[in-house]
Amino acid sequence: MTAARALRPTAAAEWRALGTTVRLVVTDTALLDSCNLLLARQLAEVDAACSRFRTDSELAALDTTRGRPVRVSPLLAEALAVALRAAGATDGAVDPTVGSAMDAIGYDRDFTLVREDDRPVSLRVRRAPGWRKVTLDPATGTVTVPEGVRLDLGATAKAWAADRAARMLADTAGCGVLESRGADTPDAGQPPPARRQIPDQH
């Protein structure tokens, strides 16, 4: 048997956002509430920019641009850049142009609503238009999405937002931060001291 030296206490909070469970752990218990508020605010900004399920999101507005280049916010531009890099790195296995295909299989609303809905799912296979059809100009902050192409950033946006939030919270609060969002669990800042195992004395 072993005994463990007491660790510096941590504090945690948990709630739902972006269609998944968010868990925040900080190494300074006094900073949990302020970090929680900052995280909730940042996730709300990401949702407003990147959600495929909100008709008022910035991403949804791209559905109406009809192939014209339009200026997007720095936040959406960063999310799109991450999605396009992932598409290039995977040779299109991760493709942000699958929005219409996802709609066609019934994933046209938050996943919790899909699970609660008893409507039968009609599967219709659609080929994704292809990520190379989307043009992002970092210099001007403009994006061009061909008419009929609907974007879905779900494959990359949650992990990107989690990493971004963990770095922001660690820099702002000056403490260690662990943020779990579904399967994405980034951390930043100084972690708690490692658990030291002390052998029993016989």
Side-chain angles (χ1 to χ4, degrees):
M1 296 180 64
T2 59
R5 177 175 296 178
L7 299 179
R8 184 169 58 197
T10 59
E14 187 172 295
W15 75 102
R16 288 193 64 81
L18 303 184
T20 191
T21 299
V22 176
R23 180 172 172 81
L24 172 66
V25 181
V26 297
T27 58
D28 187 333
T29 58
L31 295 176
L32 178 62
D33 288 345
S34 57
C35 285
N36 207 29
L37 181 62
L38 286 172
L39 178 58
R41 184 178 301 164
Q42 185 168 103
L43 294 185
E45 291 173 352
V46 170
D47 191 49
C50 303
S51 175
R52 182 168 61 88
F53 307 126
R54 290 179 51 164
T55 57
D56 63 342
S57 75
E58 195 177 0
L59 185 73
L62 294 178
D63 295 343
T64 63
T65 57
R66 297 185 178 182
R68 300 187 306 271
V70 293
R71 187 180 299 276
V72 296
S73 69
L75 188 64
L76 182 55
E78 185 179 346
L80 285 169
V82 169
L84 293 174
R85 283 200 301 272
T90 62
D91 196 25
V94 176
D95 190 333
T97 66
V98 297
S100 294
M102 298 300 282
D103 286 346
I105 64 172
Y107 190 19
D108 55 359
R109 54 209 179 281
D110 187 279
F111 193 63
T112 55
L113 298 178
V114 173
R115 288 185 299 180
E116 293 170 0
D117 196 335
D118 291 332
R119 288 182 299 172
V121 175
S122 175
L123 295 180
R124 288 172 291 169
V125 178
R126 287 188 181 181
R127 183 182 298 276
W131 63 277
R132 290 184 177 85
K133 295 181 180 292
V134 179
T135 304
L136 175 66
D137 185 343
T140 61
T142 58
V143 62
T144 304
V145 179
E147 186 170 7
V149 173
R150 191 161 196 226
L151 300 180
D152 179 358
L153 305 183
T156 55
K158 289 180 182 177
W160 158 75
D163 286 339
R164 188 173 181 272
R167 290 194 302 269
M168 179 275 292
L169 290 174
D171 291 344
T172 302
C175 67
V177 174
L178 180 72
E179 193 221 333
S180 172
R181 195 175 313 162
D184 306 309
T185 310
D187 62 85
Q190 186 65 33
R195 184 181 296 273
R196 180 182 177 184
Q197 302 295 333
I198 304 174
D200 287 342
Q201 299 298 319
H202 297 286

